[in-house]
Amino acid sequence: MIEQPINDQALLKELEGVEPDGMTVFVAGDGMFRGALYNGTRMVNQMRAQHNLGVLETLVLGQACLCAALMIQTMKGREHLTFRYDTDGPAAGFSVEADSSGYVRGYIFQDRIPIEREISSWDLTDFFGGGVVSITRDKEGAKAPQTGTTEIKFRNIAKDLAWHFAKSEQTNTAFNTGIQFDKQGRVIGAGGLFMQALPATGGQKEDNKVEAEAIKDALIQNAERAFGACPSLGQWFSEGQTREPLIKGLFREFDPKIVLERSVVFDCPCSAQGFATSIKRIGASELEDILANDPDPIEVSCKNCGSLYRIPKSMLR
């Protein structure tokens, strides 16, 4: 990826008061739940710089990338995941990817979302319509990637993703994202929260199953209430607040324990050499036509990160 610089000095000044990006992974309820809280303020700003996005487009793709980052905690071993949202609404949707190594990348299908009337809130439901949510997991050692698909039900990225996990992966999962803009449209805070109920380990005697399920359901309901009490994460991080106090405050009745701190960034493994190699594989006649008729250097843009590569024809011979 060709990293685009962030030159807005006012924004850089604001970011000095925001804790460094990072993800805090935790377990709670004696291992019944796992979760992650992510400060992705700089990640969202880098994403925006790479694609040169407006405020509305930043909100859509930013929420998508925050969710993708949180899904890294659902991966096992070496894995790559693609999260798509295909809708017939004005926003059209997006495709974002997350890798277990700790990066996210992606793009919005409509890089300038049409706006028919003045926006009165940050509710995105007017920009989404019917369609599908799909998650494709490419696991190391698997014969082929696996894709699960569900319908768009809420026209809300976080809620539709939680619905997908419930229907496609049969797990109680919740996502929450927040992006805070200042009056000039700068992203001064961005974050996401993830929590998931884990399957019970070991067996239960038949006469204890009903009681155990009732206790589990009650705990899940309490966890949902705690999760729902989360403040605006964009505002939280924009005010200089940090991750650990929020986790321990929201989920105090579940005795949360921090198990890992990790970095997740907006990045892309694309390169000029990689694109040159792909071009050389298109076929002899097509390559010959490119070498004879296309300008030198050849310009190739990466849709996932917006990087523009100028590839000299000498790399293709």
Side-chain angles (χ1 to χ4, degrees), residues 85-280:
Y85 200 92
D86 293 271
T87 171
D88 57 15
F94 54 78
S95 174
V96 294
E97 301 175 26
D99 192 87
S100 57
S101 63
Y103 74 80
V104 296
R105 66 176 186 171
Y107 62 99
I108 192 169
F109 298 157
Q110 192 78 278
D111 60 2
R112 289 295 179 267
I113 299 172
I115 300 174
E116 296 181 354
R117 60 180 182 274
E118 184 178 351
I119 299 175
S120 58
S121 74
W122 293 121
D123 185 352
L124 293 173
T125 55
D126 287 346
F127 298 98
F128 298 136
V132 295
V133 173
S134 62
I135 295 178
T136 300
R137 293 181 181 270
D138 191 355
K139 301 181 180 181
E140 186 177 27
K143 292 182 178 179
Q146 295 183 328
T147 301
T149 302
T150 52
E151 75 279 11
I152 290 174
K153 182 177 181 180
F154 300 99
R155 294 189 294 163
N156 176 291
I157 296 170
K159 290 181 179 180
D160 282 321
L161 186 55
W163 173 251
H164 175 89
F165 270 83
K167 303 302 288 185
S168 182
E169 303 193 16
Q170 289 80 51
T171 55
N172 290 299
T173 309
F175 293 86
N176 182 1
T177 62
I179 298 176
Q180 183 74 21
F181 296 92
D182 68 7
K183 292 180 180 179
Q184 286 71 43
R186 301 182 183 96
V187 176
I188 57 174
L193 178 64
F194 155 87
M195 198 168 186
Q196 187 174 67
L198 297 173
T201 57
Q204 291 280 347
K205 293 182 179 180
E206 193 64 35
D207 56 354
N208 289 336
K209 281 186 177 181
V210 174
E211 181 181 358
E213 285 299 318
I215 293 172
K216 178 181 177 181
D217 289 345
L219 286 171
I220 289 175
Q221 289 178 9
N222 288 342
E224 288 174 347
R225 281 193 289 270
F227 191 95
C230 181
S232 166
L233 290 171
Q235 183 177 351
W236 177 268
F237 291 124
S238 74
E239 294 174 349
Q241 304 291 341
T242 57
R243 300 187 295 276
E244 187 171 335
L246 182 56
I247 292 170
K248 292 187 173 179
L250 282 175
F251 305 110
R252 55 189 177 276
E253 69 176 284
F254 299 99
D255 189 24
K257 292 179 172 57
I258 308 301
V259 296
L260 180 67
E261 297 283 350
R262 68 170 303 169
S263 171
V264 181
V265 298
F266 189 89
D267 198 5
C268 184
C270 67
S271 66
Q273 184 60 58
F275 278 114
T277 300
S278 297
I279 293 171
K280 287 191 287 187

Side-chain angles (χ1 to χ4, degrees), residues 25-41:
V25 181
F26 63 94
V27 294
D30 291 326
M32 183 174 179
F33 305 102
R34 66 176 173 183
L37 178 60
Y38 176 46
N39 181 349
T41 304

Side-chain angles (χ1 to χ4, degrees), residues 48-64:
R48 185 181 195 178
Q50 292 298 131
H51 290 293
N52 190 28
L53 297 178
V55 171
L56 181 58
E57 294 78 16
T58 297
L59 185 61
V60 174
L61 190 57
Q63 289 186 10

Side-chain angles (χ1 to χ4, degrees), residues 63-91:
Q63 289 186 10
C65 285
L66 289 166
C67 284
L70 293 167
M71 281 191 282
I72 290 176
Q73 299 316 307
T74 70
M75 297 180 180
K76 296 179 180 179
R78 191 73 176 89
E79 186 175 336
H80 192 86
L81 173 152
T82 301
F83 169 34
R84 284 183 62 99
Y85 200 92
D86 293 271
T87 171
D88 57 15

Side-chain angles (χ1 to χ4, degrees), residues 1-6 46 49-51 305-308:
M1 184 177 86
I2 301 173
E3 184 173 321
Q4 295 301 312
I6 298 173
Q46 190 62 54
Q50 292 298 131
H51 290 293
C305 70
S307 296
L308 179 64

